[in-house]
PDB file of all heavy atoms in Angstrom:
ATOM      1  N   LEU A  27       0.831  -1.188   0.005  1.00 31.00           N
ATOM      2  CA  LEU A  27      -0.004  -0.015   0.001  1.00 31.00           C
ATOM      3  C   LEU A  27       0.876   1.244  -0.001  1.00 31.00           C
ATOM      4  O   LEU A  27       1.767   1.394   0.846  1.00 31.00           O
ATOM      5  CB  LEU A  27      -0.924  -0.004   1.230  1.00 31.00           C
ATOM      6  CG  LEU A  27      -1.892   1.160   1.364  1.00 31.00           C
ATOM      7  CD1 LEU A  27      -2.953   1.065   0.288  1.00 31.00           C
ATOM      8  CD2 LEU A  27      -2.536   1.146   2.733  1.00 31.00           C
ATOM      9  N   THR A  28       0.620   2.143  -0.897  1.00 35.00           N
ATOM     10  CA  THR A  28       1.382   3.388  -0.983  1.00 35.00           C
ATOM     11  C   THR A  28       0.552   4.544  -0.504  1.00 35.00           C
ATOM     12  O   THR A  28      -0.482   4.837  -1.076  1.00 35.00           O
ATOM     13  CB  THR A  28       1.839   3.648  -2.441  1.00 35.00           C
ATOM     14  OG1 THR A  28       2.595   2.528  -2.875  1.00 35.00           O
ATOM     15  CG2 THR A  28       2.658   4.892  -2.518  1.00 35.00           C
ATOM     16  N   ILE A  29       0.981   5.198   0.555  1.00 34.00           N
ATOM     17  CA  ILE A  29       0.334   6.406   1.048  1.00 34.00           C
ATOM     18  C   ILE A  29       1.410   7.478   1.152  1.00 34.00           C
ATOM     19  O   ILE A  29       2.291   7.380   1.967  1.00 34.00           O
ATOM     20  CB  ILE A  29      -0.361   6.193   2.407  1.00 34.00           C
ATOM     21  CG1 ILE A  29      -1.409   5.071   2.299  1.00 34.00           C
ATOM     22  CG2 ILE A  29      -0.964   7.459   2.917  1.00 34.00           C
ATOM     23  CD1 ILE A  29      -2.024   4.698   3.609  1.00 34.00           C
ATOM     24  N   VAL A  30       1.310   8.497   0.316  1.00 35.00           N
ATOM     25  CA  VAL A  30       2.334   9.511   0.253  1.00 35.00           C
ATOM     26  C   VAL A  30       1.908  10.677   1.113  1.00 35.00           C
ATOM     27  O   VAL A  30       0.761  11.076   1.094  1.00 35.00           O
ATOM     28  CB  VAL A  30       2.566   9.955  -1.203  1.00 35.00           C
ATOM     29  CG1 VAL A  30       3.527  11.134  -1.271  1.00 35.00           C
ATOM     30  CG2 VAL A  30       3.100   8.776  -2.014  1.00 35.00           C
ATOM     31  N   GLY A  31       2.823  11.274   1.851  1.00 36.00           N
ATOM     32  CA  GLY A  31       2.545  12.465   2.578  1.00 36.00           C
ATOM     33  C   GLY A  31       2.862  12.360   4.059  1.00 36.00           C
ATOM     34  O   GLY A  31       3.002  13.330   4.749  1.00 36.00           O
ATOM     35  N   THR A  32       2.949  11.126   4.599  1.00 37.00           N
ATOM     36  CA  THR A  32       3.116  10.980   6.025  1.00 37.00           C
ATOM     37  C   THR A  32       4.531  11.271   6.460  1.00 37.00           C
ATOM     38  O   THR A  32       4.780  11.307   7.662  1.00 37.00           O
ATOM     39  CB  THR A  32       2.733   9.547   6.414  1.00 37.00           C
ATOM     40  OG1 THR A  32       3.495   8.618   5.626  1.00 37.00           O
ATOM     41  CG2 THR A  32       1.274   9.270   6.222  1.00 37.00           C
ATOM     42  N   GLY A  33       5.466  11.485   5.508  1.00 39.00           N
ATOM     43  CA  GLY A  33       6.816  11.807   5.924  1.00 39.00           C
ATOM     44  C   GLY A  33       7.032  13.285   6.185  1.00 39.00           C
ATOM     45  O   GLY A  33       8.131  13.651   6.591  1.00 39.00           O
ATOM     46  N   LEU A  34       6.068  14.135   5.904  1.00 42.00           N
ATOM     47  CA  LEU A  34       6.203  15.537   6.107  1.00 42.00           C
ATOM     48  C   LEU A  34       6.109  15.869   7.590  1.00 42.00           C
ATOM     49  O   LEU A  34       5.537  15.127   8.375  1.00 42.00           O
ATOM     50  CB  LEU A  34       5.149  16.302   5.341  1.00 42.00           C
ATOM     51  CG  LEU A  34       5.244  16.162   3.799  1.00 42.00           C
ATOM     52  CD1 LEU A  34       4.021  16.749   3.150  1.00 42.00           C
ATOM     53  CD2 LEU A  34       6.498  16.825   3.274  1.00 42.00           C
ATOM     54  N   PRO A  35       6.681  16.999   8.027  1.00 40.00           N
ATOM     55  CA  PRO A  35       6.750  17.279   9.460  1.00 40.00           C
ATOM     56  C   PRO A  35       5.383  17.632  10.046  1.00 40.00           C
ATOM     57  O   PRO A  35       4.497  18.157   9.385  1.00 40.00           O
ATOM     58  CB  PRO A  35       7.677  18.501   9.536  1.00 40.00           C
ATOM     59  CG  PRO A  35       7.557  19.157   8.178  1.00 40.00           C
ATOM     60  CD  PRO A  35       7.342  18.034   7.221  1.00 40.00           C
ATOM     61  N   GLY A  36       5.212  17.348  11.347  1.00 40.00           N
ATOM     62  CA  GLY A  36       4.034  17.783  12.085  1.00 40.00           C
ATOM     63  C   GLY A  36       2.831  16.930  11.895  1.00 40.00           C
ATOM     64  O   GLY A  36       1.711  17.390  11.718  1.00 40.00           O
ATOM     65  N   VAL A  37       2.982  15.595  11.898  1.00 38.00           N
ATOM     66  CA  VAL A  37       1.866  14.670  11.657  1.00 38.00           C
ATOM     67  C   VAL A  37       0.766  14.997  12.691  1.00 38.00           C
ATOM     68  O   VAL A  37       1.012  15.124  13.870  1.00 38.00           O
ATOM     69  CB  VAL A  37       2.316  13.205  11.823  1.00 38.00           C
ATOM     70  CG1 VAL A  37       1.133  12.266  11.742  1.00 38.00           C
ATOM     71  CG2 VAL A  37       3.345  12.866  10.740  1.00 38.00           C
ATOM     72  N   PRO A  38      -0.534  15.172  12.223  1.00 39.00           N
ATOM     73  CA  PRO A  38      -1.563  15.622  13.114  1.00 39.00           C
ATOM     74  C   PRO A  38      -1.841  14.705  14.297  1.00 39.00           C
ATOM     75  O   PRO A  38      -2.224  15.177  15.348  1.00 39.00           O
ATOM     76  CB  PRO A  38      -2.780  15.661  12.212  1.00 39.00           C
ATOM     77  CG  PRO A  38      -2.250  15.859  10.823  1.00 39.00           C
ATOM     78  CD  PRO A  38      -0.964  15.133  10.839  1.00 39.00           C
ATOM     79  N   SER A  39      -1.696  13.415  14.173  1.00 41.00           N
ATOM     80  CA  SER A  39      -2.025  12.522  15.258  1.00 41.00           C
ATOM     81  C   SER A  39      -1.315  11.195  15.078  1.00 41.00           C
ATOM     82  O   SER A  39      -0.612  11.006  14.096  1.00 41.00           O
ATOM     83  CB  SER A  39      -3.544  12.327  15.336  1.00 41.00           C
ATOM     84  OG  SER A  39      -3.935  11.662  16.504  1.00 41.00           O
ATOM     85  N   ARG A  40      -1.473  10.300  16.030  1.00 39.00           N
ATOM     86  CA  ARG A  40      -0.750   9.019  15.885  1.00 39.00           C
ATOM     87  C   ARG A  40      -1.281   8.239  14.716  1.00 39.00           C
ATOM     88  O   ARG A  40      -2.373   8.459  14.256  1.00 39.00           O
ATOM     89  CB  ARG A  40      -0.857   8.233  17.204  1.00 39.00           C
ATOM     90  CG  ARG A  40      -2.233   7.748  17.562  1.00 39.00           C
ATOM     91  CD  ARG A  40      -2.174   6.960  18.837  1.00 39.00           C
ATOM     92  NE  ARG A  40      -3.439   6.330  19.153  1.00 39.00           N
ATOM     93  CZ  ARG A  40      -4.366   6.885  19.903  1.00 39.00           C
ATOM     94  NH1 ARG A  40      -4.201   8.088  20.401  1.00 39.00           N
ATOM     95  NH2 ARG A  40      -5.514   6.244  20.123  1.00 39.00           N
ATOM     96  N   ALA A  41      -0.476   7.285  14.236  1.00 45.00           N
ATOM     97  CA  ALA A  41      -0.735   6.648  12.950  1.00 45.00           C
ATOM     98  C   ALA A  41      -2.097   5.966  12.879  1.00 45.00           C
ATOM     99  O   ALA A  41      -2.720   5.914  11.816  1.00 45.00           O
ATOM    100  CB  ALA A  41       0.376   5.648  12.658  1.00 45.00           C
ATOM    101  N   ASP A  42      -2.591   5.416  13.972  1.00 90.00           N
ATOM    102  CA  ASP A  42      -3.836   4.680  13.947  1.00 90.00           C
ATOM    103  C   ASP A  42      -5.064   5.549  14.006  1.00 90.00           C
ATOM    104  O   ASP A  42      -6.170   5.089  13.766  1.00 90.00           O
ATOM    105  CB  ASP A  42      -3.880   3.647  15.079  1.00 90.00           C
ATOM    106  CG  ASP A  42      -2.876   2.522  14.903  1.00 90.00           C
ATOM    107  OD1 ASP A  42      -2.492   2.295  13.766  1.00 90.00           O
ATOM    108  OD2 ASP A  42      -2.486   1.905  15.899  1.00 90.00           O
ATOM    109  N   ASP A  43      -4.925   6.800  14.388  1.00 97.00           N
ATOM    110  CA  ASP A  43      -6.041   7.731  14.326  1.00 97.00           C
ATOM    111  C   ASP A  43      -6.305   8.154  12.893  1.00 97.00           C
ATOM    112  O   ASP A  43      -5.467   7.930  12.001  1.00 97.00           O
ATOM    113  CB  ASP A  43      -5.741   8.968  15.188  1.00 97.00           C
ATOM    114  CG  ASP A  43      -5.926   8.716  16.674  1.00 97.00           C
ATOM    115  OD1 ASP A  43      -6.467   7.662  17.031  1.00 97.00           O
ATOM    116  OD2 ASP A  43      -5.511   9.581  17.455  1.00 97.00           O
ATOM    117  N   GLN A  44      -7.467   8.739  12.677  1.00 97.00           N
ATOM    118  CA  GLN A  44      -7.783   9.360  11.382  1.00 97.00           C
ATOM    119  C   GLN A  44      -8.294  10.752  11.698  1.00 97.00           C
ATOM    120  O   GLN A  44      -9.487  10.959  11.879  1.00 97.00           O
ATOM    121  CB  GLN A  44      -8.822   8.553  10.606  1.00 97.00           C
ATOM    122  CG  GLN A  44      -9.148   9.113   9.251  1.00 97.00           C
ATOM    123  CD  GLN A  44      -7.952   9.251   8.370  1.00 97.00           C
ATOM    124  OE1 GLN A  44      -7.212   8.308   8.131  1.00 97.00           O
ATOM    125  NE2 GLN A  44      -7.693  10.456   7.859  1.00 97.00           N
ATOM    126  N   ALA A  45      -7.339  11.700  11.800  1.00 97.00           N
ATOM    127  CA  ALA A  45      -7.627  12.975  12.421  1.00 97.00           C
ATOM    128  C   ALA A  45      -7.964  14.092  11.429  1.00 97.00           C
ATOM    129  O   ALA A  45      -8.118  15.237  11.827  1.00 97.00           O
ATOM    130  CB  ALA A  45      -6.436  13.411  13.295  1.00 97.00           C
ATOM    131  N   GLN A  46      -8.071  13.770  10.139  1.00 97.00           N
ATOM    132  CA  GLN A  46      -8.426  14.790   9.156  1.00 97.00           C
ATOM    133  C   GLN A  46      -9.089  14.118   7.979  1.00 97.00           C
ATOM    134  O   GLN A  46      -9.212  12.898   7.936  1.00 97.00           O
ATOM    135  CB  GLN A  46      -7.205  15.573   8.718  1.00 97.00           C
ATOM    136  CG  GLN A  46      -6.197  14.753   7.882  1.00 97.00           C
ATOM    137  CD  GLN A  46      -5.160  15.607   7.221  1.00 97.00           C
ATOM    138  OE1 GLN A  46      -4.701  16.602   7.768  1.00 97.00           O
ATOM    139  NE2 GLN A  46      -4.774  15.254   6.003  1.00 97.00           N
ATOM    140  N   TRP A  47      -9.586  14.932   7.042  1.00 97.00           N
ATOM    141  CA  TRP A  47     -10.147  14.432   5.792  1.00 97.00           C
ATOM    142  C   TRP A  47      -9.050  13.809   4.933  1.00 97.00           C
ATOM    143  O   TRP A  47      -8.176  14.497   4.438  1.00 97.00           O
ATOM    144  CB  TRP A  47     -10.814  15.572   5.061  1.00 97.00           C
ATOM    145  CG  TRP A  47     -11.341  15.232   3.679  1.00 97.00           C
ATOM    146  CD1 TRP A  47     -10.831  15.642   2.510  1.00 97.00           C
ATOM    147  CD2 TRP A  47     -12.511  14.445   3.404  1.00 97.00           C
ATOM    148  NE1 TRP A  47     -11.596  15.170   1.468  1.00 97.00           N
ATOM    149  CE2 TRP A  47     -12.635  14.427   1.997  1.00 97.00           C
ATOM    150  CE3 TRP A  47     -13.431  13.767   4.177  1.00 97.00           C
ATOM    151  CZ2 TRP A  47     -13.650  13.711   1.367  1.00 97.00           C
ATOM    152  CZ3 TRP A  47     -14.448  13.084   3.522  1.00 97.00           C
ATOM    153  CH2 TRP A  47     -14.566  13.054   2.151  1.00 97.00           C
ATOM    154  N   GLY A  48      -9.052  12.489   4.779  1.00 96.00           N
ATOM    155  CA  GLY A  48      -8.020  11.791   4.036  1.00 96.00           C
ATOM    156  C   GLY A  48      -6.749  11.688   4.864  1.00 96.00           C
ATOM    157  O   GLY A  48      -6.643  12.171   5.989  1.00 96.00           O
ATOM    158  N   ARG A  49      -5.754  11.023   4.307  1.00 94.00           N
ATOM    159  CA  ARG A  49      -4.494  10.830   5.024  1.00 94.00           C
ATOM    160  C   ARG A  49      -3.700  12.128   5.050  1.00 94.00           C
ATOM    161  O   ARG A  49      -3.823  12.988   4.190  1.00 94.00           O
ATOM    162  CB  ARG A  49      -3.678   9.737   4.364  1.00 94.00           C
ATOM    163  CG  ARG A  49      -4.370   8.359   4.317  1.00 94.00           C
ATOM    164  CD  ARG A  49      -4.737   7.832   5.701  1.00 94.00           C
ATOM    165  NE  ARG A  49      -3.569   7.519   6.523  1.00 94.00           N
ATOM    166  CZ  ARG A  49      -3.638   7.044   7.738  1.00 94.00           C
ATOM    167  NH1 ARG A  49      -4.790   6.808   8.295  1.00 94.00           N
ATOM    168  NH2 ARG A  49      -2.541   6.774   8.426  1.00 94.00           N
ATOM    169  N   ALA A  50      -2.851  12.238   6.065  1.00 91.00           N
ATOM    170  CA  ALA A  50      -1.997  13.416   6.167  1.00 91.00           C
ATOM    171  C   ALA A  50      -0.765  13.212   5.300  1.00 91.00           C
ATOM    172  O   ALA A  50      -0.087  12.209   5.454  1.00 91.00           O
ATOM    173  CB  ALA A  50      -1.587  13.613   7.651  1.00 91.00           C
ATOM    174  N   TRP A  51      -0.424  14.112   4.395  1.00 89.00           N
ATOM    175  CA  TRP A  51      -1.267  15.246   3.989  1.00 89.00           C
ATOM    176  C   TRP A  51      -1.718  15.047   2.581  1.00 89.00           C
ATOM    177  O   TRP A  51      -2.202  15.929   1.908  1.00 89.00           O
ATOM    178  CB  TRP A  51      -0.434  16.524   4.079  1.00 89.00           C
ATOM    179  CG  TRP A  51      -0.267  17.073   5.436  1.00 89.00           C
ATOM    180  CD1 TRP A  51      -1.026  18.054   5.999  1.00 89.00           C
ATOM    181  CD2 TRP A  51       0.664  16.675   6.398  1.00 89.00           C
ATOM    182  NE1 TRP A  51      -0.583  18.291   7.271  1.00 89.00           N
ATOM    183  CE2 TRP A  51       0.455  17.474   7.529  1.00 89.00           C
ATOM    184  CE3 TRP A  51       1.662  15.706   6.463  1.00 89.00           C
ATOM    185  CZ2 TRP A  51       1.212  17.341   8.701  1.00 89.00           C
ATOM    186  CZ3 TRP A  51       2.413  15.581   7.604  1.00 89.00           C
ATOM    187  CH2 TRP A  51       2.192  16.386   8.703  1.00 89.00           C
ATOM    188  N   SER A  52      -1.516  13.871   2.070  1.00 96.00           N
ATOM    189  CA  SER A  52      -1.841  13.560   0.683  1.00 96.00           C
ATOM    190  C   SER A  52      -3.291  13.602   0.407  1.00 96.00           C
ATOM    191  O   SER A  52      -3.727  13.682  -0.752  1.00 96.00           O
ATOM    192  CB  SER A  52      -1.280  12.175   0.336  1.00 96.00           C
ATOM    193  OG  SER A  52      -2.014  11.172   1.023  1.00 96.00           O
TER     194      SER A  52
END
């Protein structure tokens, strides 16, 4: 599974949460 964007700084919440619309920040 490829999810791009999670390597950028300041991740909104821990990985198992879903804290925004779509994945952070892709």
Side-chain angles (χ1 to χ4, degrees):
L27 183 67
T28 302
I29 300 175
V30 174
T32 54
L34 295 170
V37 175
S39 190
R40 66 179 187 269
D42 291 336
D43 282 350
Q44 182 56 56
Q46 68 168 36
W47 174 252
R49 300 301 295 181
W51 282 263
S52 67

